[in-house]
């Protein structure tokens, strides 16, 4: 038996999700990108042409291709072309600096890159030190080709696809062949290349479709960055798998998004909590017809209960938090609509493909109620970290994937997230969850809009619990008053030793608060702290 | 890295579907079996105990275990225990005769068997010639152990599970390790052992849950035989994957089923078209409260439009046909609720994991509208036929799985099934679809309750189109009159050369009409047909 023939007939491949949706509903709208609309058939044949174009230039299964672009149809076309060719897609974070871009291009042995015309300067300044990249394909024709260094083969994305066959590429690709190298935005060490494979992303697509009840009746919004696994794999690939439409936007703009919900009858949103806050205000001020909305997914942070209630009232749809990480392809748990108000602040119950447990440092699984590291078993786990078997072995010790997150299961079997492993505050011999204190601060004071609780070096406490707070404009909060009120709701030993008011918190491209940055900034806050009076 | 540890953390295993549903909703009812009810946690720990019990007797991954039982909780416990142990489950068709049982036990190298107490005689008389089987585990304690031949180690199912650890079994099992050998009820040749694997059944479970919108709010009925892939893998495993409840019944009884729908708020049924006919009559005569019903799945045969309309009116739920075969694990297409009335008689659009095409005998894919063999690409395809590489290569020629079914896609992309490959009637140089004629007969004459159109040897026509018909009791139909009316709606060359009235049609255990039996029975019908006048 011909191995390729058997592989094509039996394999699991993310590209096949698109092939099948195109066969099932060829004329249905797959992608809305500004004034451009593409049916599933157009999307699929475009991906085929790109894959065949790359193939004609010598790209083979296993080769890696960088992708640096704002959200656009071509982004998804490239992702699916890579899947069909067996090439590895390496999305470049648009917030990276030269050094990070250079590191990733080198580390991932990137051979060519597909780059948005408006990102070309940024890309080129990152490639200085990378000898490997030889081909640059530019999305859009608004660039000056002569400006490009001569070592590159440069052509437009359009030229790469044109005159190519629309036939399905036929390459032998294993179920667990690499699909992408996604670099984690490591706040402390060098970024690690998360090797995502076809099976993992495929299963996440089906599982997420089940858990969000996504169907071909949905039209999902895509305004969060596609270079991030959440937008790409937790929203876009499930939508493509079930034949839902995707409305692509370059970023979050409150009024434009509400207009789009009304115009395109969007049914599923994926956004950060702070974005929902702004949608609520805008919708209250200038109401649109948004009855098509059925599910608002959020991520990265829990929504404070009053905000959630306001959002439920004003947007009139279900809310659900997706919790996970790049290494999980990415969804590990869903905080489901039915639990939002009964268990505010939790991160939910396991996704259909994921087993979740709590583990202590010696590899023992802990019973319900006890706090420990959140660990996973799932075919959605990464293959491993690229060229880093040590980190991979460490991550899979004791037969579970170690998330690096700390949490516990409550009596209802619902998971609560406490902190990143390294961010647990060890103060006065106690382990303190920053999340608990953050939640308490939100509850006692509605004028607090954002808060990060961190541990800072302290002579007496080892780490001193410290709250860094952003308030509503005009609000004038008093540190001593806040602390006094806080002591009524949490144990005194958990109470911050100080509250610092700032204008904004440092964040990653995807809105995650960078506690490591805060810890660096305020490192010396408690210097001479031997003399700080105990509160 | 320890291979077992990595396997446990990353693998695809059907047993893990149960493990995860038990973790997500431990106290939810998983199985209702008469007066017995089992939560997901109970179901899971029971399966663990059985797997560990088998393990303690030396059963290892790859060993095969027969399962011969009427529908009961123990059936599903055994299936999931096998999955967790890596053992291969070999369900025994309860309608098989001694010879077939012996053949399968031998061919599948069955080491032990789990047998319902009421099926023990039947099983033992089938084991006479099989030296391999050494262990018999009996479900229920109502049997006389001393009656059993001494070569068997005999114990009860209960004894096998008791005192066993409830811990999750930890065996290294590949994604595509065999899960089951399901023997096709070959009407012509020796049964073939379809090797089903974990990945295929797992993906079918998720895909079918998506396509049927199954969720943890559902309670599904299971009265069709569990030894058949349709009940087992198209209904039960998807239900277990998403945390839906299963109401187990030993078989189809009209009144009892309607009572159960009312009592247990059943939401999903899986039945044959003739069963829905009987449910409609009973519900019209003695209405129950069946508002919980949301989806009625049928299989094996399309529903005549008038019956479908009556069923939609009376049962008040969506209808959907599942089309597939054991080799597809098993669902290949869904005839979706929204297409039922606009395309009556079709078999639907592809399932989420399946690509469907039409192929000619030389391996060329045919365009929309043309008739040919229905072929599939999907990770749901069987691994192969057990110990039959020739049949496997034949089935996967040209890089597609060959269904043996004939069909075409219409202009709306909807698949129509014409016939089993071998059952296409070749009459007077034309290929004739028996289905088209069967449909026409149902349409022109409501007193026809069942019909099978076959080709019989004929001197002039090579094969003569022949309709074998069952009528409503008391109806007195005239052959010449029927043929005259038929000629008004189908091409004359397709018209049957004869209509034969019978009391019943031969069927397989799962209700499929055995056309091969009919062809055998009426082989000499047109003997001396040289003198039969042309109609």
């Amino acid at each position: 038996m011909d191995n390729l023939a058997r592989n094509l007939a039996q394999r699991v491949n993310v590209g096949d999700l698109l092939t099948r949706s195109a066969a099932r509903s060829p004329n249905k709208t797959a992608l809305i990108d500004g004034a451009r609309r593409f049916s599933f058939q157009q999307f699929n044949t475009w991906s085929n042409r790109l894959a065949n174009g790359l193939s004609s230039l010598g790209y083979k299964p296993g080769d890696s291709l960088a992708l640096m672009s704002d959200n656009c149809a071509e982004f998804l076309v490239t992702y699916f072309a890579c899947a069909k060719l067996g090439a590895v897609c390496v999305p470049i974070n648009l917030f990276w600096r030269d050094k990070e871009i250079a590191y990733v291009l080198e580390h991932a042995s990137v051979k060519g890159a597909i780059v948005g015309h408006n990102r070309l300067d940024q890309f080129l300044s990152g490639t200085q030190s990378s000898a490997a990249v030889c081909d640059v394909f530019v999305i859009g024709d608004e660039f000056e080709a002569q400006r490009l260094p001569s070592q590159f083969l440069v052509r437009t994305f359009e030229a790469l696809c044109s005159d190519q066959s629309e036939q399905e590429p036929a390459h032998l690709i294993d179920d667990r062949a690499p699909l992408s190298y996604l670099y984690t935005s490591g706040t402390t060490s060098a970024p690690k290349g998360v090797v995502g494979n076809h099976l993992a992303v495929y299963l996440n697509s089906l599982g997420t479709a089940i858990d969000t009840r996504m169907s071909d009746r949905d039209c999902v919004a895509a305004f969060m960055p596609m270079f991030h696994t959440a937008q790409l794999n937790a929203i876009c690939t499930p939508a493509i798998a079930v034949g839902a439409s995707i409305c692509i936007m370059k970023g979050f703009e409150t009024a434009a998004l509400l207009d789009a919900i009304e115009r395109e009858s969007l049914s599923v949103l994926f956004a950060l909590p702070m974005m929902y806050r702004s949608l609520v205000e805008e919708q209250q001020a200038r109401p649109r017809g948004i009855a098509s909305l059925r599910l608002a997914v959020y991520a990265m942070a829990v929504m404070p209960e009053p905000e959630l209630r306001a959002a439920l009232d004003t947007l009139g749809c279900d809310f659900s938090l997706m919790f996970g990480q790049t290494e999980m392809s990415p969804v590990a748990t869903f905080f489901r609509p039915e639990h939002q108000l009964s268990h505010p602040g939790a991160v939910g119950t396991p996704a259909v493909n994921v087993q979740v447990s709590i583990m202590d440092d010696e590899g023992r699984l802990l019973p319900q109620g006890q706090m420990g590291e959140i660990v996973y078993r799932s075919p959605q786990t990464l293959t491993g970290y690229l060229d880093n078997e040590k980190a991979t072995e460490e991550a899979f010790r004791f037969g579970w994937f170690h998330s690096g997150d700390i949490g516990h299961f409550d009596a209802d079997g619902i998971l609560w997230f406490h902190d990143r492993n390294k961010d647990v505050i060890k103060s006065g011999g106690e382990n303190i969850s920053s999340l608990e204190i953050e939640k308490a601060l939100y509850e006692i004071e509605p004028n607090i809009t954002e808060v990060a609780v961190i541990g800072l070096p302290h002579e007496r406490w080892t780490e001193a619990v410290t709250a860094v707070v952003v308030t509503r404009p005009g609000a004038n909060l008093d540190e001593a008053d806040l602390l006094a009120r806080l002591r009524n709701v949490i144990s005194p030993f958990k109470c911050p030793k100080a509250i610092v008011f700032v204008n904004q918190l440092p964040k990653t491209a995807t809105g995650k608060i960078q506690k490591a940055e805060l810890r660096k900034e305020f490192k010396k806050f408690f210097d001479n702290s031997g003399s700080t009076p105990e509160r």
Side-chain angles (χ1 to χ4, degrees), chain A:
Chain A
M1 171 73 48
D2 176 355
N3 285 337
L4 174 61
R6 192 73 73 90
N7 178 263
L8 292 172
Q10 299 191 316
R11 73 185 184 186
V12 173
N13 183 289
V14 168
D16 292 340
L17 289 173
L18 174 57
T19 305
R20 288 182 205 132
S21 286
R24 208 164 52 240
S25 18
N27 303 319
K28 180 152 189 243
T29 299
L31 307 176
I32 302 166
D33 182 3
R36 304 186 298 167
R37 274 163 199 263
F38 304 96
S39 69
F40 273 99
Q41 189 159 45
Q42 289 169 326
F43 179 15
N44 188 51
T45 53
W46 197 4
S47 300
N48 290 350
R49 284 190 283 121
L50 177 57
N52 294 331
L54 288 165
S55 194
S56 73
L57 291 177
Y59 284 81
K60 295 180 310 296
D63 285 344
S64 47
L65 191 78
L67 171 56
M68 183 168 190
S69 165
D70 293 86
N71 290 359
C72 60
E74 286 83 352
F75 195 109
L76 294 174
V77 168
T78 302
Y79 190 51
F80 280 86
C82 286
K84 287 170 177 236
L85 175 58
V88 186
C89 187
V90 185
I92 303 292
N93 186 317
L94 298 178
F95 294 85
W96 281 343
R97 286 151 300 187
D98 289 359
K99 216 177 68 179
E100 290 162 303
I101 294 173
Y103 176 86
V104 165
L105 293 177
E106 192 72 28
H107 189 259
S109 309
V110 162
K111 197 173 153 186
I114 291 180
V115 182
H117 68 90
N118 59 328
R119 297 294 179 176
L120 205 48
D121 287 342
Q122 193 182 353
F123 176 77
L124 290 174
S125 94
T127 54
Q128 305 302 340
S129 63
S130 174
V133 181
C134 55
D135 304 326
V136 181
F137 309 106
V138 184
I139 301 170
D141 44 13
E142 305 146 42
F143 71 98
E144 304 159 52
Q146 68 280 13
R147 272 207 306 108
L148 293 176
S150 58
Q151 78 262 33
F152 297 120
L153 168 70
V154 180
R155 56 179 73 179
T156 61
F157 187 85
E158 203 185 328
L160 179 57
C161 298
S162 67
D163 301 326
Q164 293 296 333
S165 159
E166 294 188 350
Q167 290 294 307
E168 289 295 331
H171 303 280
L172 199 157
I173 304 165
D174 287 339
D175 297 343
R176 289 184 184 265
L179 168 68
S180 55
Y181 302 146
L182 298 174
Y183 283 78
T184 53
S185 48
T187 41
T188 46
S189 53
K192 282 186 288 192
V194 174
V195 181
N197 63 68
H198 281 271
L199 181 65
V201 172
Y202 190 105
L203 284 174
N204 178 80
S205 303
L206 298 196
T208 302
I210 289 173
D211 281 320
T212 59
R213 307 184 201 284
M214 206 184 280
S215 80
D216 58 359
R217 297 176 221 163
D218 280 312
C219 184
V220 310
F223 51 83
M224 298 285 289
M226 286 185 178
F227 60 73
H228 190 269
T229 182
Q231 181 64 73
L232 185 60
N233 292 326
I235 300 293
C236 291
T237 58
I240 291 161
V242 301
S245 308
I246 301 174
C247 180
I248 301 170
M249 285 165 274
K250 303 253 176 276
F252 175 76
E253 282 181 64
T254 315
L257 178 55
L258 280 167
D259 291 343
I261 297 171
E262 184 169 39
R263 190 179 60 247
E264 306 290 352
S265 297
L266 301 187
S267 59
V268 177
L269 299 186
F270 169 59
L272 303 179
M274 55 183 245
M275 295 173 180
Y276 287 115
R277 194 186 308 148
S278 137
L279 286 173
V280 165
E281 283 165 12
E282 171 71 12
Q283 175 67 7
Q284 283 169 348
R286 277 165 297 277
R288 271 58 156 207
I290 56 170
S292 59
L293 263 192
R294 69 165 188 86
L295 181 66
V297 177
Y298 58 106
M300 304 302 165
V302 302
M303 281 177 79
E305 197 185 336
E307 284 192 12
L308 179 62
R309 286 191 183 274
L312 284 166
D313 283 351
T314 306
L315 302 182
C317 61
D318 281 340
F319 273 74
S320 184
L321 177 145
M322 279 184 185
F323 178 71
Q325 59 194 101
T326 305
E327 286 89 337
M328 291 302 291
S329 307
V331 186
T333 70
F334 282 91
F335 183 37
R336 293 162 208 272
E338 61 268 32
H339 296 144
Q340 295 284 314
L341 292 176
S342 60
H343 297 71
V347 294
T349 51
V352 73
N353 291 311
V354 183
Q355 195 180 349
V356 184
S357 287
I358 304 296
M359 191 175 268
D360 71 10
D361 291 344
E362 280 75 45
R364 283 182 296 255
L365 296 182
L366 299 175
Q368 217 164 39
Q370 286 194 34
M371 208 198 289
E373 185 172 9
I374 301 171
V375 293
Y376 303 120
R377 280 181 169 170
S378 171
Q380 291 179 201
T381 53
L382 76 168
T383 304
Y385 295 105
L386 185 63
D387 291 336
N388 193 343
E389 188 52 27
K390 187 163 164 286
T392 306
E393 291 209 11
E394 174 78 7
F396 281 105
R397 65 194 185 277
F398 309 121
W400 293 77
F401 172 73
H402 290 252
S403 70
D405 293 330
I406 300 296
H408 82 279
F409 276 102
D410 68 16
D412 298 322
I414 291 176
L415 184 67
W416 295 74
F417 167 77
H418 292 268
D419 225 323
R420 286 291 302 169
N421 207 346
K422 286 178 193 132
D423 297 350
V424 166
I425 304 169
K426 303 198 177 191
S427 185
E430 298 280 354
N431 281 353
I432 296 172
S433 154
S434 65
L435 200 79
E436 183 188 352
I437 299 153
E438 289 163 4
K439 215 177 132 232
L441 277 164
Y442 279 128
E443 278 167 9
I444 62 167
E445 183 46 66
N447 279 313
I448 293 178
T449 56
E450 285 187 317
V451 57
V453 169
I454 53 175
L456 294 176
H458 190 287
E459 220 171 88
R460 171 168 179 175
W461 299 105
T462 315
E463 292 189 337
V465 179
T466 312
V468 187
V469 163
V470 182
T471 64
R472 271 186 215 286
N476 198 2
L477 301 183
D478 177 70
E479 182 184 8
D481 168 63
L482 264 183
L483 287 172
R485 285 155 59 202
L486 202 53
R487 251 176 250 118
N488 293 330
V489 293
I490 61 170
S491 313
F493 77 89
K494 296 180 180 171
C495 234
K497 303 297 178 249
I499 294 181
V500 185
F501 296 95
V502 296
N503 289 328
Q504 58 178 29
L505 296 174
K507 290 195 187 134
T508 66
T510 53
K512 213 188 292 185
I513 294 170
Q514 291 177 302
K515 289 195 173 180
E517 292 296 312
L518 282 178
R519 274 191 292 267
K520 212 184 293 172
E521 185 179 345
F522 293 102
K523 195 168 58 182
K524 294 176 187 295
F525 191 80
F526 288 103
D527 270 11
N528 310 314
S529 55
S531 60
T532 309
E534 185 179 347
R535 288 176 198 268

